[in-house]
Amino acid sequence: MARITYIEFGGKEHVIDVPDGATVMEGARDNGIQGIRADCGGACACSTCHVYVDPSWMDRLPPPGAMEEDMLDFAYEPDPARSRLTCQLRVSNALDGLVVQMPEMQS
Ligand code: FES
C-alpha cells in the first residue's frame, strides 16, 4: 500500500491509501478524484490520466516505457521533467508518499 497525495489543479489535496497492484490512476478513479479522466481505462491509449509528479519523486519512479513516452506527446501541456501517465505507475510501498498534481485540463 502507498499513501498518495493527489493535488487538483485548483490546489485541493486528496490523500489516499492505494493498494499494492493498483495503478496511481485507479487510486484516483476509484476514489472519485477530479482531474484524472482515464478515458481508455488504463490501456496507455488516451493520455487523459496525465499528471505532474512532484520533482523529488521523478528519479524514484521506474522510467516511462516507449508507449507512455509516445502518449505523453498528446497530453495537455506535458512537461518532460515531471509528466507521467498515472495508468502506467503501478503501486507498491515504494511509492508511499508520492505526490502528483493534475494539469489544468486533460487533452
Ligand atoms: Fe488512458 Fe492512462 S488511462 S493513457
Side-chain angles (χ1 to χ4, degrees):
M1 187 194 75
R3 182 159 291 183
I4 299 176
T5 300
Y6 299 86
I7 306 174
E8 292 182 24
F9 181 74
K12 186 174 179 185
E13 292 191 11
H14 306 265
V15 180
I16 305 289
D17 290 334
V18 184
D20 287 354
T23 63
V24 175
M25 176 276 280
E26 290 166 336
R29 183 195 63 190
D30 296 349
N31 289 281
I33 295 171
Q34 302 295 306
I36 293 179
R37 272 208 335 260
D39 289 348
C40 78
C44 200
C46 73
S47 83
T48 63
C49 64
H50 169 222
V51 297
Y52 303 114
V53 172
D54 185 274
S56 68
W57 272 90
M58 279 304 271
D59 291 345
R60 296 154 74 181
L61 298 175
M67 271 177 64
E68 182 181 350
E69 295 257 19
D70 286 349
M71 285 312 302
L72 276 168
D73 290 341
F74 298 98
Y76 177 77
E77 294 192 348
D79 178 344
R82 58 193 183 112
S83 285
R84 293 298 302 262
L85 296 180
T86 50
C87 72
Q88 300 303 300
L89 295 173
R90 185 73 56 186
V91 172
S92 70
N93 60 8
L95 266 57
D96 190 40
L98 177 67
V99 179
V100 299
Q101 184 158 30
M102 277 71 104
E104 184 174 8
M105 65 180 75
Q106 297 290 355
S107 56

